Amino acid sequence: MFARVRYNSTTPARSPRTLIIIYSPDQVLIMVSNPIRTRALLLLLAAIALSVVILPAALVAQTPDAARANDLQRALEAYVDKGHTRGAVAWRLNADGSEEEARVGIDQRTADARFEAGSITKVFSSILLADAVLAGKVTLETPIAELFPRSCELAPEVGAITLKELSTHTSGLPRQAPGRGLLRGFLQLSDPYAGSTREELFEALCTLEADDLKTRGSYSYSNFGVALLGRLLEAVDLSSLDPTLSPDATYETRLDTRVLQPLGLTASDFEAAHPHTVPGHRTNHTSAGPWHLDAYNPAGGLRTTLPDLIALARNALAADFPPLALTLEPHHLDEEGNPEVGLGWFFQTLRSNDTPPESEDVEDTEATKGSGKNERIIWHNGRTGGYFAFIALAPESGRAVVLLTDTSHGTGFAVDLLREPTPEPPPLEPNVFFLLFGLFFPWLAPFALFSLKHRLSLKTIVEPPTDPDASFWARFMARQQRQLPAGRVDALSSFLGAAFTLLLTYQLGAWQVLPIAIWYAALALTVGLGVRVLPVVVKAPWFGREGWKGRAMTVINGVISVGLVVWVVG
């Protein structure tokens, strides 16, 4: 509808103005008020008409592409908003060849941001194996005894394990190397593989017997096995294939020269300290330091970027790099005869309302929704102390997906990113134990210092009244209620115990859903009580209890407290 109204301005010495009112078909009101000449008015009306007719049509034509471009971003935003991770980057290749890329909560440019790839490194270790196989240096059936350094005599059954069995997790080897490796993992919770050595891996293998390989021939995930694979490949002379590789070249050098560079993965390496490394976080979103896998680098030490894993996915779908193509073939079947494991890769049939594959890194899975068409996918994931990574390929439809996050967590939603449109991420369901742990355990720290102030005022042990005829349990509980006098050494134990409590709850509490203010309130109260009790501690004797037994127990408690703090710090 069009209307024209001519009116005189109330301002002196102004010419009459023209008010033009236009109602477009979508009910948008446009008003023009100015002295307008006829030619200018016609040009204006023509421009408006074009915008009304052409622009909406163009927008409608772009709507499907725009919706698709927003689908991955929307899914990733919902994934972050629900608390699964603090930040993430993702890429998806759709069946029609179109691509999507998304980034949420990551400050760096997507092309630069580096993440720990975790167990996806095992795929690259298997590609290195395939490279040596195709070059005729080894075979998949080569027994490890042929490459093992003569540091000991392996048990015949152990020495007969093949390189393929190491790559497919069918060797029967334990998940972690026995001996020093297990102890280190317990003592260094924040960096469990740091300090591991090749010799340590080989020594652990020397201790195994046939009875330790009970799962051989069936799938049983082993970090130890793939770490051993990478280190055994160091004994393969590749100098005839590449003169730049000396016979004693390390696994890391061999992988870069024979695998990463040929695939175009120029930003991937094993360097922990890098300016573009995205800060990692624990499952509860608190800060986590990097992992240094050292001897276990072949099992999970690679650092990578989204563009590099995209390059891996493209090369895998193209299957034009022979070593990579060999790893993508099935090399182990499940009990029903279906492909289960390639060289480093896992196989899974993606079905309607199917459950994402379980793996060594996935702790919780969520049912996904599909189109009803079964399709085989090839995938691997990785999880370290502060990161989660995932790559999946659907060769039949030509689809692929890559996900990198800055938070250590297990999820089945990653495989849902292959679906279009992407389903809504599942709600975050933290463990009830860690919820209660975060709610109540922090308050034990200020309570310890509150009790300390009272104990510093005691001169002797205060025994609660006990019936001589009471049961053993009643007498035991009464003994725990004794009030022991405290001295400076006892105070040190109490302070260290409070520190241990706060550090442990910071690392384990479910802060991804609980307000972290709970922890900071407990910290503030602990510091306040500590400042208040400190003058009393200075005036107290070194030991609150007399006698060598009492003093010995005080020292033992102090040593335990120091050990706990060192342990939780890692």
Side-chain angles (χ1 to χ4, degrees):
M1 185 176 70
F2 174 89
R4 180 183 181 191
V5 180
R6 187 177 179 85
Y7 68 99
N8 292 324
S9 172
T10 57
T11 305
R14 292 289 181 93
S15 59
R17 295 175 177 262
T18 302
L19 177 65
I20 301 175
I21 305 174
I22 303 174
Y23 288 91
S24 66
D26 56 353
Q27 302 299 312
V28 175
L29 176 65
I30 303 174
M31 304 179 64
V32 180
S33 177
N34 245 333
I36 302 177
R37 296 183 179 182
T38 303
R39 181 176 298 176
L41 177 60
L42 292 176
L43 290 174
L44 177 62
L45 292 177
I48 293 173
L50 287 173
S51 66
V52 168
V53 174
I54 296 176
L55 184 59
L59 291 175
V60 170
Q62 294 175 1
T63 298
D65 291 338
R68 165 175 284 179
N70 291 333
D71 179 64
L72 186 62
Q73 181 71 27
R74 174 198 59 78
L76 209 60
E77 289 174 354
Y79 192 61
V80 172
D81 289 343
K82 291 187 176 183
H84 293 278
T85 180
R86 288 176 61 99
V89 294
W91 168 85
R92 179 168 67 194
L93 175 64
N94 298 302
D96 61 1
S98 62
E99 299 181 26
E100 303 171 60
E101 197 170 294
R103 180 183 69 180
V104 180
I106 303 297
D107 296 332
Q108 301 185 44
R109 290 194 320 129
T110 302
D112 297 330
R114 285 166 54 94
F115 301 80
E116 292 181 3
S119 291
I120 291 180
T121 311
K122 294 178 175 67
V123 169
F124 295 99
S125 297
S126 293
I127 299 174
L128 185 62
L129 167 62
D131 177 62
V133 169
L134 294 177
K137 299 296 182 179
V138 295
T139 71
L140 291 178
E141 302 305 324
T142 296
I144 64 175
E146 292 187 12
L147 302 176
F148 189 75
R150 300 301 175 184
S151 58
C152 73
E153 190 68 31
L154 293 177
E157 296 81 4
V158 175
I161 293 173
T162 66
L163 298 180
K164 184 177 80 170
E165 288 176 320
L166 294 180
S167 176
T168 58
H169 303 281
T170 57
S171 66
L173 292 175
R175 185 182 183 94
Q176 305 296 126
R180 285 184 291 168
L182 288 177
L183 180 62
R184 179 185 295 104
F186 174 75
L187 296 177
Q188 301 175 182
L189 295 179
S190 60
D191 200 358
Y193 299 96
S196 57
T197 64
R198 297 169 177 81
E199 293 71 26
E200 178 184 309
L201 296 178
F202 298 148
E203 289 172 7
L205 197 64
C206 293
T207 65
L208 299 179
E209 300 291 340
D211 291 342
D212 299 314
L213 308 178
K214 295 179 180 179
T215 61
R216 186 179 179 188
S218 58
Y219 169 78
S220 180
Y221 193 82
S222 175
N223 287 318
F224 177 32
V226 182
L228 193 62
L229 170 65
R231 297 309 172 187
L232 289 174
L233 289 175
E234 293 177 333
V236 179
D237 187 358
L238 300 179
S239 58
S240 61
L241 304 178
D242 191 331
T244 64
L245 284 176
S246 63
D248 59 349
T250 64
Y251 159 83
E252 291 80 3
T253 300
R254 293 164 183 262
L255 190 76
D256 181 66
T257 304
R258 301 295 300 171
V259 177
L260 300 181
Q261 296 303 323
L263 288 174
L265 278 62
T266 57
S268 298
D269 54 44
F270 294 89
E271 182 184 351
H274 194 282
H276 292 300
T277 297
V278 174
H281 302 88
R282 300 183 183 89
T283 303
N284 65 1
H285 294 191
T286 58
S287 297
W291 273 13
H292 304 82
L293 275 82
D294 295 339
Y296 277 84
N297 269 343
L302 193 69
R303 273 76 174 172
T304 191
T305 64
L306 184 66
D308 272 17
L309 287 190
I310 291 174
L312 174 63
R314 292 186 193 280
N315 280 284
L317 290 176
D320 54 5
F321 185 59
L324 175 55
L326 179 59
T327 66
L328 293 165
E329 297 176 6
H331 289 273
H332 177 73
L333 307 180
D334 61 17
E335 295 178 354
E336 299 178 356
N338 299 315
E340 185 176 24
V341 189
L343 294 180
W345 296 93
F346 298 111
F347 289 79
Q348 173 76 14
T349 300
L350 190 63
R351 301 182 178 90
S352 177
N353 297 322
D354 195 11
T355 302
E358 296 182 357
S359 79
E360 77 287 357
D361 294 316
V362 175
E363 294 178 352
D364 57 324
T365 57
E366 187 72 23
T368 58
K369 300 177 182 179
S371 60
K373 179 183 177 182
N374 296 347
E375 184 176 8
R376 180 182 299 168
I377 64 171
I378 306 172
W379 62 277
H380 209 296
N381 59 6
R383 181 180 182 182
T384 61
Y387 303 86
F388 176 79
F390 181 82
I391 180 172
L393 315 166
E396 296 174 18
S397 60
R399 296 179 295 146
V401 67
V402 174
L403 172 68
L404 292 169
T405 80
D406 66 353
T407 304
S408 175
H409 66 295
T411 179
F413 179 68
V415 75
D416 273 344
L417 295 178
L418 272 174
R419 306 183 188 275
E420 192 183 358
T422 307
E424 186 72 14
L428 184 65
E429 297 179 355
N431 188 291
V432 175
F433 170 79
F434 295 115
L435 277 172
L436 298 176
F437 193 79
L439 280 172
F440 301 109
F441 203 73
W443 304 108
L444 295 180
F447 178 76
L449 298 191
F450 178 80
S451 301
L452 173 64
K453 184 178 180 182
H454 174 68
R455 291 176 56 205
L456 287 168
S457 65
L458 298 177
K459 300 301 181 182
T460 59
I461 299 176
V462 178
E463 297 279 1
T466 307
D467 186 354
D469 298 326
S471 64
F472 169 81
W473 178 251
R475 294 197 306 272
F476 174 79
M477 292 303 297
R479 186 176 178 81
Q480 306 312 306
Q481 298 174 20
R482 294 186 307 165
Q483 299 182 39
L484 304 176
R488 296 182 190 180
V489 178
D490 302 276
L492 177 62
S493 298
S494 295
F495 280 114
L496 289 173
F500 166 76
T501 301
L502 289 172
L503 288 169
L504 191 64
T505 52
Y506 180 81
Q507 295 181 10
L508 298 182
W511 307 120
Q512 69 271 39
V513 291
L514 294 173
I516 192 66
I518 294 174
W519 186 85
Y520 281 108
L523 173 64
L525 184 57
T526 302
V527 172
L529 289 171
V531 171
R532 186 175 180 182
V533 78
L534 194 58
V536 184
V537 172
V538 173
K539 298 178 182 179
W542 282 103
F543 293 95
R545 285 179 283 180
E546 297 296 334
W548 70 270
K549 289 185 178 180
R551 294 185 177 185
M553 289 303 300
T554 300
V555 172
I556 291 173
N557 288 336
V559 172
I560 293 175
S561 299
V562 171
L564 288 174
V565 171
V566 172
W567 173 71
V568 77
V569 170

